[in-house]
Amino acid sequence: MGWIFFLICEVMLPPSLANWQQEMEQVGQIAVVLLRLPANGQTTVLNLPPETPRRELLTPYTSQPGFVSQYRGAQAMTVNTITVNGRVSFVLINPLLAGEGEAEQAVIAHEFGHIWLKAKRYPAPAYQGGEAACLSVHALDAVQHILIRQEMERRGVAWKAPWFAGLAAALRQMEQTPGAAGGVGRCQTLSQVAMWVDVALGAGDWPGQPAFLAALRRRFPVIVLASEEIASYLRGHPVADPAPHRAALEFVFARMKQLALTLP
């Protein structure tokens, strides 16, 4: 294939990410397009630059309300497409949330991890549009983040400091608001489940972990049972091999769906 596109040319990828990028192309024959697309709470459609490579492949997603709704609250999202000419993965960076420098590089590394697992043919739930879009996204994240953290660590990516700093900021915000959160929608609820699982499984060496989980328990009590069940399952079922990986995805997807159906 031999082509990888970067539309955020001012970002200099460190060797750990540049090498990873090359391996993705070699292993998975995947073209990677990186885009900075700002999105705030008022954004309803993501406007793609006219010069975006393979723009027609991405437009069906960026014009979809369910996708845009998820992207508004994300640091970044990846869209994987398959064409007769090969695979194209779009990495969309939301600069309003992703930060700069090392923080943004950690975000890019995280998205590279998802593409890497795709290149290695790990199973993933089919993307569902509309209101069900977030179910596929958060179920996938809960499982794949385990392997992505391991891979970033193996490759020497500086991911922990930016993540822990973001968690500390979120903890301070939660601690300023007493009682349970009100008016929480289904998608936000599932995102809190995925966050609980991430922190429970991946932030064991962060001193703020106990306080963060306690704050989640207080602010979002409806997620506690499902979150603890998912975290317990993933602790006891290694997901590095495709078969247990698929089983874990099925378990997490079903448990999150069960929770979502109990919500108004």
Side-chain angles (χ1 to χ4, degrees), residues 69-70 130-135 138 185-192 263:
S69 175
Q70 288 302 297
E131 293 184 355
C134 56
L135 177 57
H138 295 309
R186 289 181 177 180
C187 286
Q188 185 182 355
T189 297
L190 296 182
S191 74
Q192 299 300 335
L263 303 174

Coordinates of all heavy atoms in Angstrom, one line a residue, residues 69-70 130-135 138 185-192 263:
S69 N -22.3 13.0 18.7 CA -22.6 13.1 20.2 C -21.5 12.5 21.0 O -21.0 13.0 22.0 CB -23.9 12.5 20.5 OG -24.2 12.5 21.9
Q70 N -21.0 11.3 20.6 CA -20.0 10.6 21.3 C -18.6 11.4 21.2 O -17.9 11.5 22.2 CB -19.8 9.2 20.8 CG -20.9 8.3 21.2 CD -21.1 8.2 22.7 OE1 -20.2 7.7 23.4 NE2 -22.2 8.6 23.2
G130 N -26.9 5.5 15.6 CA -28.0 6.0 16.4 C -27.7 6.0 17.8 O -26.5 6.1 18.3
E131 N -28.7 5.8 18.7 CA -28.6 5.8 20.1 C -27.7 4.6 20.6 O -27.2 4.7 21.7 CB -29.9 5.8 20.8 CG -30.8 7.0 20.5 CD -32.1 7.0 21.3 OE1 -32.4 6.0 21.9 OE2 -32.8 8.0 21.2
A132 N -27.6 3.6 19.8 CA -26.8 2.4 20.3 C -25.4 2.5 20.0 O -24.6 1.6 20.3 CB -27.4 1.1 19.6
A133 N -24.9 3.6 19.4 CA -23.5 3.8 19.0 C -22.6 3.7 20.2 O -21.6 3.0 20.1 CB -23.3 5.1 18.3
C134 N -23.0 4.3 21.3 CA -22.1 4.3 22.5 C -21.9 2.9 23.1 O -20.9 2.7 23.7 CB -22.6 5.3 23.5 SG -24.3 5.0 24.0
L135 N -22.9 2.0 22.9 CA -22.8 0.7 23.5 C -21.6 0.0 22.9 O -20.8 -0.6 23.6 CB -24.1 -0.1 23.3 CG -24.1 -1.5 23.8 CD1 -23.8 -1.6 25.3 CD2 -25.5 -2.1 23.5
H138 N -18.1 1.8 24.0 CA -17.7 1.6 25.4 C -17.4 0.2 25.8 O -16.6 -0.1 26.6 CB -18.7 2.2 26.4 CG -18.8 3.7 26.2 ND1 -17.7 4.6 26.2 CD2 -19.9 4.5 26.0 CE1 -18.1 5.8 26.1 NE2 -19.5 5.8 26.0
G185 N -27.8 10.5 31.0 CA -28.3 9.7 30.0 C -27.6 8.4 29.9 O -26.6 8.1 30.6
R186 N -28.1 7.5 29.0 CA -27.6 6.2 28.8 C -26.1 6.2 28.4 O -25.3 5.4 28.9 CB -28.4 5.4 27.8 CG -29.8 5.0 28.3 CD -30.6 4.2 27.3 NE -31.9 3.8 27.7 CZ -32.7 3.1 27.0 NH1 -32.4 2.7 25.8 NH2 -33.9 2.7 27.5
C187 N -25.8 7.0 27.4 CA -24.4 7.0 26.9 C -23.4 7.5 27.9 O -22.4 6.9 28.1 CB -24.3 7.9 25.6 SG -25.1 7.1 24.2
Q188 N -23.8 8.5 28.7 CA -22.9 9.0 29.7 C -22.7 7.9 30.8 O -21.6 7.7 31.4 CB -23.4 10.3 30.3 CG -22.4 10.9 31.3 CD -22.9 12.1 32.0 OE1 -23.9 12.7 31.6 NE2 -22.1 12.6 33.0
T189 N -23.8 7.2 31.1 CA -23.8 6.2 32.1 C -22.8 5.1 31.7 O -22.0 4.6 32.5 CB -25.2 5.6 32.4 OG1 -26.0 6.6 32.9 CG2 -25.1 4.4 33.3
L190 N -22.9 4.7 30.4 CA -22.0 3.6 29.9 C -20.5 4.1 29.9 O -19.6 3.3 30.1 CB -22.4 3.2 28.5 CG -23.8 2.5 28.5 CD1 -24.1 2.0 27.1 CD2 -23.9 1.3 29.4
S191 N -20.3 5.4 29.6 CA -19.0 5.9 29.6 C -18.4 5.9 31.0 O -17.2 5.7 31.2 CB -18.9 7.3 29.1 OG -19.5 8.3 30.0
Q192 N -19.2 6.1 32.0 CA -18.8 6.0 33.4 C -18.4 4.6 33.8 O -17.5 4.4 34.6 CB -19.8 6.6 34.4 CG -20.1 8.1 34.1 CD -19.0 9.0 34.3 OE1 -18.0 8.7 35.0 NE2 -19.0 10.1 33.6
L263 N -32.4 2.0 32.2 CA -32.4 3.4 32.4 C -33.4 4.1 31.6 O -33.8 3.5 30.5 CB -31.0 4.0 31.9 CG -29.8 3.4 32.7 CD1 -28.5 3.9 32.0 CD2 -29.8 3.7 34.2

